[in-house]
């Protein structure tokens, strides 16, 4: 008989099956054996996907606060006092930036981000130099355009140390300001309204969580793709490390191909530590492709493999810091050039970035410093 062939469309399972004789797995599938795997539980809590990239505390409650600066300040007083002056400076610069117009705000916002990053690196014991680790330039002989504003991550400095801490590759250190902004989900809508020929770069994700196989105890990432993005033609742009999960016939759920072994109830504490370390490694890899928009209910997004799109394999933190550095250079040394941008068709894009990036950056780096999830009180996720 012919080999097994399962025809699947997202949201439903076709009954058109060719079954290999004596193939128990094929028979199980044919009889409706697709079952959704259970959500992973750790310390009596569901292992939901976390904003922290490196070593999130999966067994912890979320922190409910309207002021991440204040909570992290208290946390640093108890855990790493030497980082406190940098965090306080970050807060003061952020407060100043709110009072400034877009042509001036990038300078104080950048120094807010820079000092917050120094606090993170001190907390994590990551070495760094006093150099910024990033530079920008524009060739005066070229057209004035965001695509001609080049950003380079240097071999050492604050941005470089942040990138190293997050486990990013040092390949392709130079990218344009335009591409950097296009890789940030929280302003991607403004980016596409500004550059109408650009494709949608992100899959929206709902209910991101880790799931576990009931018998072999392997764990993987799982999330639902809602709406029009679950169309089979769009799903062809899933990154190679992800696939459709057939255990959910009434919705489009994807999962990571990469899996890690979890521990059992009777396993030793060493086995538990090894399993958690494996989950951290998987999570860090997933967060290289999955990012979020900071909001009362956080919105998660997976980068697509879109032909012609300039994908930059760096985190939101690095892209925001590097982009704000370039805008701060323009604010300091070329205010006429920045004014030209702010009065052109990219006005909304730059204004949205300048206005929204501070809350996004501080939310992300607060989670990274503490390993905890920051959420607004009174909002149920």
């Amino acid at each position: 008989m012919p080999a097994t062939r399962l025809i699947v469309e997202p949201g439903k399972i076709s009954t058109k099956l060719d079954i290999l004789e004596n193939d128990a797995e094929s028979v199980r599938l044919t009889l409706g054996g697709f079952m959704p795997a259970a959500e992973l539980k750790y310390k009596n809590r569901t292992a939901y996907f976390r904003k922290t990239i490196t070593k999130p505390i999966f067994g912890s409650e979320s922190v409910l606060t309207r002021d991440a600066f204040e909570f992290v300040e208290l946390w640093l007083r108890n855990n790493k006092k030497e980082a406190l002056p940098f965090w306080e400076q970050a807060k003061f610069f952020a407060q100043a930036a709110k009072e400034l117009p877009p042509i001036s705000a990038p300078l104080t916002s950048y120094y807010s981000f820079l000092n917050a990053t120094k606090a993170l690196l001190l907390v994590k014991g990551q070495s760094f130099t006093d150099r910024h680790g990033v530079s920008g330039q524009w060739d005066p002989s070229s057209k004035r355009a965001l695509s001609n504003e080049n950003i380079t991550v240097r071999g050492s400095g604050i941005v470089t140390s942040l990138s190293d801490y997050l486990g990013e590759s040092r390949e392709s250190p130079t990218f344009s300001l335009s591409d950097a902004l296009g890789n940030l989900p929280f302003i991607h809508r403004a980016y596409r309204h500004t550059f109408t020929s650009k494709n949608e770069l992100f899959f929206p994700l709902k209910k991101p969580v880790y799931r576990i196989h009931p018998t072999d105890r392997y764990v993987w990432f799982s999330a639902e793709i809602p709406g029009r993005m679950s169309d089979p033609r769009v799903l062809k742009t899933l990154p190679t490390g992800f696939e459709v999960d057939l255990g959910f016939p009434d919705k489009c759920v994807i999962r990571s191909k990469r899996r890690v072994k979890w521990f059992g109830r009777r396993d030793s504490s060493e086995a538990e530590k090894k399993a958690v370390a494996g989950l951290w490694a998987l999570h860090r890899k997933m967060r290289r492709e999955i990012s979020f928009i900071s909001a009362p209910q956080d919105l998660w997004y997976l980068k697509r493999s879109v032909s012609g799109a300039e994908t930059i394999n760096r985190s939101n933190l690095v892209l925001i810091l590097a982009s704000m550095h370039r805008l701060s250079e323009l604010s300091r040394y070329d205010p006429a050039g920045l004014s030209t941008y702010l009065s052109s068709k990219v006005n909304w894009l730059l204004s949205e970035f300048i206005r929204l990036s501070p809350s996004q950056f501080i939310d992300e780096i607060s989670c990274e410093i503490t390993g905890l999830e920051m959420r607004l009180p009174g909002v149920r996720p």
Side-chain angles (χ1 to χ4, degrees):
M1 297 186 68
T4 306
R5 180 167 58 88
L6 176 63
I7 302 175
V8 179
E9 294 182 8
K12 64 180 181 178
I13 299 176
S14 172
T15 57
K16 298 178 181 178
L17 294 170
D18 295 328
I19 303 172
L20 181 65
E21 189 175 22
N22 298 322
D23 187 336
E25 181 67 7
S26 295
V27 173
R28 184 183 70 82
L29 299 182
T30 308
L31 294 176
F34 288 104
M35 296 292 291
E39 296 174 349
L40 175 66
K41 301 280 187 179
Y42 182 55
K43 294 187 176 180
N44 296 321
R45 298 185 185 281
T46 298
Y48 292 113
F49 202 59
R50 297 293 180 121
K51 294 189 282 189
T52 303
I53 297 172
T54 302
K55 296 184 178 180
I57 305 174
F58 282 106
S60 66
E61 289 185 310
S62 298
V63 174
L64 302 179
T65 178
R66 296 189 182 277
D67 189 342
F69 274 119
E70 182 178 2
F71 175 81
V72 176
E73 181 179 340
L74 296 173
W75 188 93
L76 289 174
R77 290 186 186 279
N78 293 323
N79 294 278
K80 197 72 173 179
K81 286 185 178 180
E82 54 265 48
L84 191 56
F86 291 109
W87 189 253
E88 290 176 333
Q89 279 285 70
K91 179 177 68 175
F92 298 146
F93 279 127
Q95 290 171 347
K98 292 180 181 179
E99 306 301 321
L100 295 174
I103 197 169
S104 303
L107 185 57
T108 47
S109 288
Y110 171 67
Y111 279 103
S112 174
F113 299 170
L114 188 70
N115 280 280
T117 302
K118 289 180 181 179
L120 168 67
L121 297 175
L122 278 172
V123 168
K124 301 302 179 180
Q126 182 82 19
S127 62
F128 60 92
T129 70
D130 289 335
R131 296 175 181 270
H132 292 243
V134 63
S135 63
Q137 64 179 16
W138 165 67
D139 183 358
S141 64
S142 65
K143 178 184 177 182
R144 195 90 217 203
L146 296 183
S147 58
N148 292 327
E149 297 284 352
N150 291 320
I151 300 171
T152 299
V153 178
R154 298 298 180 182
S156 63
I158 307 300
V159 177
T160 312
S161 295
L162 174 61
S163 182
D164 289 345
Y165 163 75
L166 296 173
E168 297 178 350
S169 169
R170 290 201 176 191
E171 297 178 3
S172 304
T174 300
F175 43 85
S176 73
L177 177 58
S178 175
D179 290 338
L181 298 177
N183 276 256
L184 294 170
F186 69 95
I187 55 167
H188 193 63
R189 183 66 58 85
Y191 178 81
R192 292 189 64 234
H193 275 291
T194 302
F195 303 106
T196 55
S197 63
K198 299 295 185 179
N199 290 322
E200 177 70 55
L201 188 58
F202 297 96
F203 284 106
L205 301 179
K206 290 176 60 178
K207 301 178 181 178
V209 71
Y210 287 102
R211 296 186 180 276
I212 184 169
H213 193 279
T215 55
D216 63 23
R217 305 200 65 78
Y218 274 96
V219 170
W220 60 88
F221 169 82
S222 172
E224 179 184 347
I225 295 182
R228 63 182 178 83
M229 299 300 283
S230 64
D231 183 276
R233 293 165 295 181
V234 182
L235 288 174
K236 291 180 180 179
T237 62
L238 272 176
T240 56
F242 296 83
E243 63 186 2
V244 175
D245 188 338
L246 305 180
F248 298 83
D250 58 339
K251 63 186 70 173
C252 177
V253 173
I254 62 166
R255 64 185 179 190
S256 63
K257 294 179 182 177
R258 183 174 179 178
R259 304 182 179 194
V260 294
K261 189 76 171 181
W262 197 241
F263 68 97
R265 292 183 179 179
R266 298 181 180 179
D267 288 342
S268 65
S269 59
E270 288 301 316
E272 178 180 351
K273 290 179 181 178
K274 184 178 179 181
V276 172
L279 184 58
W280 279 340
L282 174 62
H283 182 77
R284 190 169 178 172
K285 182 174 178 60
M286 294 299 99
R287 282 290 275 111
R288 289 175 188 168
E289 300 185 74
I290 299 169
S291 54
F292 71 96
I293 296 178
S294 180
Q297 293 189 22
D298 295 319
L299 306 172
W300 290 96
Y301 295 88
L302 169 65
K303 277 186 182 178
R304 299 168 58 200
S305 298
V306 183
S307 176
E310 296 297 332
T311 301
I312 304 175
N313 295 318
R314 293 187 182 271
S315 70
N316 278 3
L317 286 172
V318 171
L319 291 176
I320 293 172
L321 184 56
S323 298
M324 192 62 80
H325 177 271
R326 181 55 189 150
L327 291 178
S328 76
E329 287 182 319
L330 293 174
S331 182
R332 281 178 289 175
Y333 308 126
D334 187 11
L338 182 54
S339 179
T340 298
Y341 284 129
L342 290 172
S343 60
S344 70
K345 76 167 189 175
V346 300
N347 174 290
W348 182 36
L349 173 61
L350 290 183
S351 296
E352 285 287 276
F353 175 74
I354 293 168
R355 182 175 65 88
L356 297 177
S357 61
S359 58
Q360 180 76 34
F361 189 88
I362 294 304
D363 185 13
E364 295 207 31
I365 211 158
S366 297
C367 295
E368 203 63 40
I369 287 174
T370 63
L372 302 168
E373 293 291 285
M374 304 288 166
R375 298 191 184 281
L376 286 174
V379 179
R380 186 178 299 277

